[in-house]
Amino acid sequence: MIPVTATLLRHSLRHLRHRIRFNSTAISPPPHSIHLPLNHPTYLIWSANTSLGKTLVSTGIAASFLLQQPSSSATKLLYLKPIQTGFPSDSDSRFVFSKLDSLSLRRQIPLSISNSVLRSSLPAAESLGLNVELSDTGMCNLNFREEKTVTGAPELLCKTLYAWEAAISPHLAAERENAMIEDSVVLQMIEKCLKEEMECGVKSEKSDLLCLVETAGGVASPGPSGTLQCDLYRPFRLPGILVGDGRLGGISGTIAAYESLKLRGYDIAAVVFEDHGLVNEVPLTSYLRNKVPVLVLPPVPKDPSDDLIEWFVESNGVFKALKETMVLAYLERLERLNGMAKQAGEVFWWPFTQHKLVHEETVTVIDSRCGEHFSIYKASDNSSLTQQFDACASWWTQGPDPTFQAELAREMGYTAARFGHVMFPENVYEPALKCAELLLDGVGKGWASRVYFSDNGSTAIEIALKMAFRKFCVDHDICEATEEIKHIVVKVLALRGSYHGDTLGAMEAQAPSPYTGFLQQPWYTGRGLFLDPPTVFLSNGAWNISLPESFFEIAPEKYGTFVTRDEIFDKRRDASILATIYLAYVSEHLQQYSGVGQSAHVGALIIEPVIHGAGGMHMVDPLFQRVLVNECRNRKIPVIFDEVFTGFWRLGVETTTELLGCKPDIACFAKLLTGGMVPLAVTLATDAVFDSFSGDSKLKALLHGHSYSAHAMGCATAAKAIQWFKDPETNHNITSQGKTLRELWDEELVQQISSHSAVQRVVVIGTLFALELKADASNSGYASLYAKSLLEMLREDGIFTRPLGNVIYLMCGPCTSPEICRRLLTKLYKRLGEFNRT
């Protein structure tokens, strides 16, 4: 910050004391998603450290933009200083205001200028001799404004949003002056100021607007709440100008600041700093590989009496080049964003997508992600960026909030720099070892002893099948050396509606479905015994069991309904009549594969525990799956749990073994394993499974692997995610016992939605809420477009979701607050009413 005389400011405030108002209520966090117009360029002004001249640079950019010939009344610059300490002695917005006034006189170019201070702490207001009352936030609503209006002239608007008296770090000033401000409130105020000016610009097609948002201190200086400013402003992801350090040691500080910003996903258009005669621009240009311009300003006069006007005149060429760089970068970004949807339709082949049904205007252009929100570009909405909650959890993988996202980014960067990639067989390195140890002490605790790394869920399943089949053959004395081996067929036991991946082997372990048709997979034969599972769902406020038609007639009173979901998982159901019926059903189907001389064998059981994801978000009766597992174990059939979707807190527990009350021989994990940041999968196995591959010949080993097996970056990210999700200090949803998540979905709203006339059924557990819309046969199933209008309405409400036919789901992360989930359900419930009327 640059010290300025506060006499005029004090005088103006006293003169305008009758205009001062105060706010008696606290500013609540914004209930809406951020919406930021991009019809004009907006830049964050960063600095490698405090006192490097951010405000000088802002002033120079403003002068270059506004004081040009011929001048235009349509030219406007908005300067925002969200956080100001040392007020009123230090007032950066007033510095810009006063210097532009002087420069306009010097260049004889008329200029309309104004400076506003919106809110300050009580000590800051009292230092001006003001007697004001406080709001609940501890801030005074000053609404001070000084201005000089010239009709038809370019316009400068300077605004300080929040000010504190002490010339110290904002978090200390806010605490000491009892004037704390939440991050969301700061962001909401910035958004409001930017939108007001930009919307004015939209109304005047000839307007030329530039917005500058100047930060306080250095890149990683704390804001009022203690959040680092590089994290505080991240939801906007505005492009930035970095004011570097031309002094001794400045190269290091500038690079550190630049890397801090890049690591968080910011784009830096240029680096600019004051010349101290050390030629720091040469190594900085080399480091940036000439991709980011490095501009050097003349030395700033040290005489406190110097008004710096001559310095600004001398620096005009540098600031003009900087302004042109900023405008060019903005235009290039806008051009790229505007063309992405069309180009994507010409070069992409999207998965699970019928391209004939996708029109250019319906393609979602994602500029970035911050925590659980996409930043969506909409060219049709005056070129704007708007946030949408990612209710697909980026296809079931995502878990981080903004803090955790930054943490994982740092972990990935460190690991990539340390290891790059190293091959895995017969090698050991810390990320892989730590990840394996955490897995065996977590999801594999009490049963698994080995971790096999792969790259995605489908290949993890392929590995699991190979493991299970070998274990089965060893247990049942099926030897490769015998003649009978040529006639033996090994199948899987699986459930209809389950989905285990897209690779050929994984698809063979699934019942016929839309994914396995001849045009999808001509080699598909379905090498399994596929059973129809009973399912559980919520309807009209009660949990019900639905038995498939393949079951013999059972009176409903024998299985009934449940008041709560917990009753469904109660192990006392093992003694129920329904358990006996389930056992008889399973035994009857397995009987055909038992006995001496059989050529066909069931060599493995594979299930998606509790929830069939891609099959339509059906909840399988956990009693049925437990009976199935126990019966297979009795028959020495290896058991595979496919927890690629359901594992790592997706269903409210770290592993579904805690829900089912039984353990597998083999289990597969992916998706949330790394917090959704990078692909990685694992297949866990028991000692007995591992030993079935032991022998003197390499040919008996498990001959399967990937070039990127156990890649260090994925393992390090997974280790961080495993620890983060189960730690109550970092995941506030963990219950006191540390084994489950608290209930995330509002029970009353869930009940109301389950009773809605448009809803067939609801499934809710852990981070998942799903509903099936009532539809006739022609509008139901995976290919249905029945939900299209409802999806469009939800996206208008800031919820990005993608259906499974007429099944709509909302998915959050393990760290998502129940309040956010409540907002999602509230919007969904409201839109269901509108959907029902269409």
Side-chain angles (χ1 to χ4, degrees):
M1 294 175 294
I2 298 175
V4 297
T5 302
T7 304
L8 178 59
L9 183 56
R10 287 194 183 95
H11 175 77
S12 300
L13 279 169
R14 287 170 179 155
H15 180 69
L16 297 170
R17 188 176 302 180
H18 67 280
R19 294 175 55 186
I20 293 179
R21 301 291 184 267
F22 59 88
N23 184 7
S24 60
T25 58
I27 304 171
S28 58
H32 61 281
S33 298
I34 289 171
H35 182 91
L36 198 64
L38 281 188
N39 48 306
H40 297 285
T42 302
Y43 278 85
L44 279 165
I45 307 299
W46 297 99
S47 180
N49 209 333
T50 190
S51 301
L52 291 179
K54 290 189 301 297
T55 310
L56 290 175
V57 170
S58 295
T59 304
I61 295 170
S64 178
F65 187 73
L66 295 171
L67 304 178
Q68 52 186 328
Q69 294 286 7
S71 63
S72 168
S73 61
T75 303
K76 181 189 293 188
L77 187 137
L78 172 65
Y79 168 88
L80 295 182
K81 184 73 176 184
I83 299 165
Q84 176 74 62
T85 57
F87 182 84
S89 296
D90 287 355
S91 176
D92 292 342
S93 65
R94 185 154 214 297
F95 180 91
V96 177
F97 169 85
S98 63
K99 295 307 173 189
L100 262 293
D101 187 24
S102 299
L103 285 167
S104 70
L105 294 173
R106 166 66 183 266
R107 298 186 188 179
Q108 297 184 338
I109 300 176
L111 189 64
S112 284
I113 56 176
S114 66
N115 177 44
S116 303
V117 184
L118 304 187
R119 289 168 173 79
S120 78
S121 66
L122 182 60
E126 289 178 339
S127 70
L128 295 166
L130 300 176
N131 184 20
V132 295
E133 294 188 33
L134 289 175
S135 71
D136 294 341
T137 65
M139 300 297 285
C140 307
N141 191 357
L142 296 182
N143 280 341
F144 161 75
R145 179 181 175 90
E146 55 182 328
E147 58 187 352
K148 176 181 175 182
T149 303
V150 178
T151 305
E155 186 176 3
L156 169 70
L157 295 92
C158 299
K159 294 183 181 181
T160 296
L161 305 189
Y162 298 97
W164 292 264
E165 181 187 35
I168 53 179
S169 181
H171 72 294
L172 294 176
E175 181 180 2
R176 294 180 185 180
E177 297 175 28
N178 196 27
M180 303 293 291
I181 293 294
E182 295 180 3
D183 295 346
S184 58
V185 176
V186 175
L187 294 177
Q188 185 181 15
M189 182 64 80
I190 295 171
E191 178 188 3
K192 178 184 176 183
C193 293
L194 291 175
K195 287 174 69 174
E196 285 175 351
E197 298 307 323
M198 290 188 179
E199 286 169 0
C200 290
V202 171
K203 295 175 183 176
S204 174
E205 294 183 3
K206 296 181 180 180
S207 66
D208 191 6
L209 173 67
L210 175 63
C211 301
L212 303 178
V213 182
E214 185 181 308
T215 61
V219 162
S221 295
S225 72
T227 300
L228 305 185
Q229 288 181 78
C230 48
D231 294 324
L232 168 60
Y233 298 117
R234 178 56 182 79
F236 292 139
R237 206 188 78 85
L238 294 170
I241 299 299
L242 175 60
V243 179
D245 190 347
R247 301 172 301 184
L248 184 64
I251 297 169
S252 175
T254 304
I255 290 174
Y258 178 85
E259 290 191 344
S260 291
L261 293 171
K262 294 298 287 186
L263 194 61
R264 287 166 172 81
Y266 289 102
D267 295 324
I268 302 302
V271 175
V272 58
F273 59 85
E274 177 192 355
D275 185 11
H276 284 266
L278 299 177
V279 202
N280 283 5
E281 65 271 21
V282 174
L284 284 174
T285 300
S286 175
Y287 164 77
L288 296 169
R289 301 184 183 277
N290 293 307
K291 293 181 179 179
V292 177
V294 178
L295 305 176
V296 182
L297 292 164
V300 179
K302 305 305 177 187
D303 184 353
S305 65
D306 193 312
D307 64 3
L308 303 180
I309 297 304
E310 293 304 322
W311 181 84
F312 280 112
V313 172
E314 181 186 358
S315 305
N316 183 57
V318 178
F319 286 123
K320 182 179 179 181
L322 180 57
K323 176 203 69 175
E324 291 173 352
T325 296
M326 295 164 66
V327 172
L328 180 61
Y330 161 76
L331 293 174
E332 289 176 347
R333 180 190 187 194
L334 209 59
E335 182 181 16
R336 180 65 170 166
L337 287 170
N338 283 324
M340 285 176 71
K342 182 177 185 299
Q343 188 175 4
E346 295 171 350
V347 301
F348 285 168
W349 191 337
W350 285 300
F352 297 98
T353 300
Q354 176 50 261
H355 280 239
K356 287 194 70 174
L357 301 177
V358 179
H359 304 290
E360 181 181 329
E361 62 272 14
T362 65
V363 175
T364 301
V365 179
I366 301 175
D367 178 72
S368 65
R369 180 189 186 97
C370 184
E372 296 172 300
H373 288 84
F374 291 150
S375 184
I376 304 294
Y377 176 71
K378 293 185 176 181
S380 59
D381 190 11
N382 293 321
S383 298
S384 65
L385 287 176
T386 185
Q387 281 192 334
Q388 288 187 354
F389 184 90
D390 176 13
C392 295
S394 277
W395 242 358
W396 316 350
T397 69
Q398 278 287 324
D401 55 18
T403 302
F404 188 27
Q405 180 178 339
E407 187 77 17
L408 289 178
R410 284 191 291 272
E411 191 70 28
M412 292 169 65
Y414 165 78
T415 307
R418 178 180 173 185
F419 290 101
H421 175 60
V422 293
M423 69 172 293
F424 185 51
E426 300 180 54
N427 292 330
V428 62
Y429 36 93
E430 181 59 31
L433 184 59
K434 184 176 182 180
C435 181
E437 290 171 340
L438 288 168
L439 288 165
L440 296 178
D441 192 47
V443 293
K445 191 169 186 176
W447 68 271
S449 63
R450 297 285 173 167
V451 178
Y452 202 101
F453 289 97
S454 57
D455 56 352
N456 66 73
S458 185
T459 51
I461 294 295
E462 300 268 357
I463 293 163
L465 291 171
K466 290 183 177 182
M467 290 178 176
F469 291 153
R470 172 69 68 86
K471 179 66 166 64
F472 178 84
C473 290
V474 169
D475 286 349
H476 294 266
D477 296 322
I478 299 174
C479 180
E480 222 172 358
T482 62
E483 183 67 25
E484 291 80 5
I485 197 74
K486 298 177 182 178
H487 308 288
I488 287 178
V489 176
V490 180
K491 297 185 175 184
V492 298
L493 174 59
L495 303 181
R496 293 188 184 276
S498 64
Y499 185 81
H500 302 292
D502 308 328
T503 52
L504 298 182
M507 295 187 80
E508 287 295 304
Q510 304 167 33
S513 72
Y515 307 107
T516 63
F518 181 82
L519 291 179
Q520 294 293 338
Q521 216 292 62
W523 286 0
Y524 174 78
T525 59
R527 304 184 188 192
L529 167 61
F530 304 114
L531 304 184
D532 292 309
T535 57
V536 185
F537 61 91
L538 181 66
S539 179
N540 294 316
W543 287 91
N544 303 269
I545 293 180
S546 175
L547 297 180
E549 295 178 0
S550 54
F551 272 69
F552 37 84
E553 198 66 35
I554 304 174
E557 58 267 19
K558 289 189 176 181
Y559 52 89
T561 61
F562 303 90
V563 177
T564 68
R565 187 184 60 228
D566 289 344
E567 294 176 26
I568 300 167
F569 292 98
D570 193 334
K571 287 200 70 176
R572 288 176 293 184
R573 294 181 64 210
D574 290 1
S576 67
I577 295 175
L578 195 56
T580 305
I581 294 170
Y582 286 165
L583 178 58
Y585 173 77
V586 172
S587 298
E588 178 185 348
H589 282 83
L590 283 175
Q591 194 62 36
Q592 59 185 299
Y593 292 95
S594 63
V596 179
Q598 281 286 337
S599 60
H601 299 270
V602 172
L605 166 67
I606 182 169
I607 61 171
E608 283 184 280
V610 184
I611 296 291
H612 283 178
M617 298 298 175
H618 288 280
M619 179 184 287
V620 180
D621 187 356
L623 174 61
F624 178 78
Q625 290 192 321
R626 189 160 55 248
V627 167
L628 191 58
V629 169
N630 291 338
E631 182 61 15
C632 286
R633 202 171 297 290
N634 291 336
R635 295 171 182 263
K636 292 187 176 181
I637 298 174
V639 175
I640 302 169
F641 280 9
D642 176 357
E643 293 202 60
V644 169
F645 167 53
T646 60
F648 287 106
W649 307 102
R650 181 58 70 205
L651 304 187
V653 290
E654 190 173 25
T655 169
T656 54
T657 60
E658 298 170 30
L659 292 174
L660 288 185
C662 54
K663 293 180 170 62
D665 300 293
I666 303 162
C668 303
F669 298 89
K671 299 191 186 300
L672 264 174
L673 168 61
T674 64
M677 291 290 279
V678 62
L680 186 74
V682 292
T683 305
L684 274 59
T686 62
D687 264 331
V689 173
F690 176 76
D691 290 342
S692 65
F693 287 84
S694 181
D696 296 328
S697 171
K698 187 174 182 178
L699 297 180
K700 287 198 70 176
L702 178 49
L703 304 180
H704 191 116
H706 306 273
S707 298
Y708 286 95
S709 290
H711 62 95
M713 194 158 61
C715 290
T717 308
K720 178 69 71 173
I722 292 168
Q723 293 171 303
W724 189 281
F725 286 145
K726 66 170 61 176
D727 185 352
E729 292 294 319
T730 51
N731 184 1
H732 301 309
N733 289 332
I734 295 291
T735 58
S736 57
Q737 295 82 13
K739 291 186 176 181
T740 61
L741 299 179
R742 60 176 168 169
E743 194 62 44
L744 300 178
W745 306 98
D746 183 87
E747 185 176 353
E748 184 178 347
L749 277 169
V750 169
Q751 296 282 340
Q752 289 175 353
I753 293 172
S754 78
S755 302
H756 198 283
S757 58
V759 175
Q760 181 71 32
R761 64 178 176 91
V762 164
V763 169
V764 58
I765 184 170
T767 68
L768 171 68
F769 174 91
L771 66 82
E772 181 178 348
L773 296 168
K774 285 182 181 176
D776 56 36
S778 62
N779 281 320
S780 62
Y782 181 71
S784 169
L785 300 177
Y786 185 66
K788 182 179 178 181
S789 62
L790 178 57
L791 295 180
E792 291 172 349
M793 288 187 280
L794 290 174
R795 292 189 182 185
E796 289 174 8
D797 289 339
I799 303 174
F800 181 93
T801 187
R802 177 183 166 99
L804 292 163
N806 60 317
V807 173
I808 300 289
Y809 64 87
L810 303 175
M811 201 176 293
C812 65
C815 301
T816 306
S817 73
E819 173 58 24
I820 290 176
C821 294
R822 188 190 64 78
R823 291 178 194 167
L824 296 175
L825 289 182
T826 299
K827 292 177 180 179
L828 173 61
Y829 185 63
K830 178 184 176 183
R831 289 301 195 177
L832 278 171
E834 298 175 29
F835 172 77
N836 211 25
R837 292 193 293 270
T838 59

